[in-house]
Amino acid sequence: MTTRAHWENVYQTRAVDDVSWYRPHLEVSLRLIADAAPDAGSAVIDVGGGEATLVDDLVVRGYSDVTVLDISPAAIDVAKGRLGPSAAAVHWITGDITAVGLEAARYDVWHDRAVFHFLTSADDRAAYVRQVARAVRPGGHVIVATFGPEGPETCSGLDVVRYDAEHLHGEFGPKFRLLDSVTELHETPWGAPQQFLYCFCRVE
């Protein structure tokens, strides 16, 4: 099964609030985005945004240049349906983040909660980092969250890579200046704890 087919199956067979990473509001992400981009005109991309509620909260907060990218058309359709008329103000991209074409220096903030840790191949991780380096403007910010050292070893039937702050930042390199790291103990909809690790960087 291809990666896209896997995620289409997940989103077509499970409810929005029946996946382990679901939160009604991504509080840590919203705080870091506000720190990175207090100007609501800043361009923000949510990689792997899919059905996540981050786009809803960004729109409510007045962010006017929001892009959501996901490999699954089904996930994007769910988000569009939930937003209703507001969906027309959001840029939607369907594609694999390691291969999709993104405009150079387009974004002020790159946000990813729980995509990067699925990249178990070093080549895929290198392709991802090249995408970030190309698509984020100099002086822009990158927020990437993965499972932490005590997080799960698999998710949705797939292996993941767990990171501490040093190793996650090391995947990106010196062009990305680490400003902060945050550990979050996320509770799944069925009450299981999951450790997430966020790295917050500025592109030099």
Side-chain angles (χ1 to χ4, degrees):
M1 182 182 291
T2 65
T3 302
R4 174 169 168 169
H6 174 87
W7 289 112
E8 280 289 271
N9 180 63
V10 168
Y11 288 116
Q12 289 173 349
T13 59
R14 300 181 68 175
V16 173
D17 58 356
D18 190 36
V19 290
S20 64
W21 55 89
Y22 172 76
R23 290 182 72 85
H25 304 282
L26 300 183
E27 297 91 347
V28 175
S29 297
L30 287 165
R31 176 173 63 79
L32 293 174
I33 290 171
D35 289 345
D39 178 358
S42 299
V44 180
I45 183 169
D46 184 19
V47 174
E51 297 179 340
T53 59
L54 182 67
V55 62
D56 308 58
D57 286 330
L58 291 175
V59 169
V60 166
R61 284 160 171 74
Y63 283 88
S64 58
D65 189 356
V66 178
T67 299
V68 176
L69 183 151
D70 203 279
I71 199 169
S72 167
I76 285 179
D77 286 345
V78 168
K80 286 181 175 179
R82 189 179 64 233
L83 283 170
S86 297
V90 177
H91 309 287
W92 304 94
I93 301 174
T94 302
D96 181 338
I97 189 52
T98 65
V100 68
L102 295 175
E103 185 180 345
R106 169 71 175 84
Y107 302 105
D108 298 297
V109 180
W110 177 289
H111 173 268
D112 163 9
R113 181 178 180 267
V115 172
F116 191 77
H117 64 203
F118 284 109
L119 304 181
T120 57
S121 156
D123 288 343
D124 284 346
R125 293 195 295 272
Y128 179 108
V129 172
R130 286 195 297 271
Q131 291 276 49
V132 182
R134 182 175 185 275
V136 180
R137 297 167 183 155
H141 292 81
V142 178
I143 301 160
V144 175
T146 67
F147 285 142
E150 298 173 16
E153 296 181 356
T154 63
C155 182
S156 293
L158 298 176
D159 291 336
V160 300
V161 182
R162 299 179 296 178
Y163 294 93
D164 60 22
E166 179 182 358
H167 288 96
L168 181 53
H169 179 241
E171 292 284 346
F172 287 79
K175 180 176 179 177
F176 299 85
R177 180 181 176 190
L178 183 63
L179 302 179
D180 195 9
S181 63
V182 179
T183 300
E184 175 192 42
L185 192 61
H186 164 69
E187 186 174 293
T188 69
W190 45 91
Q194 290 184 337
Q195 185 192 56
F196 274 82
L197 185 282
Y198 292 73
C199 274
F200 179 41
C201 301
R202 183 170 63 235
V203 179
E204 300 289 275

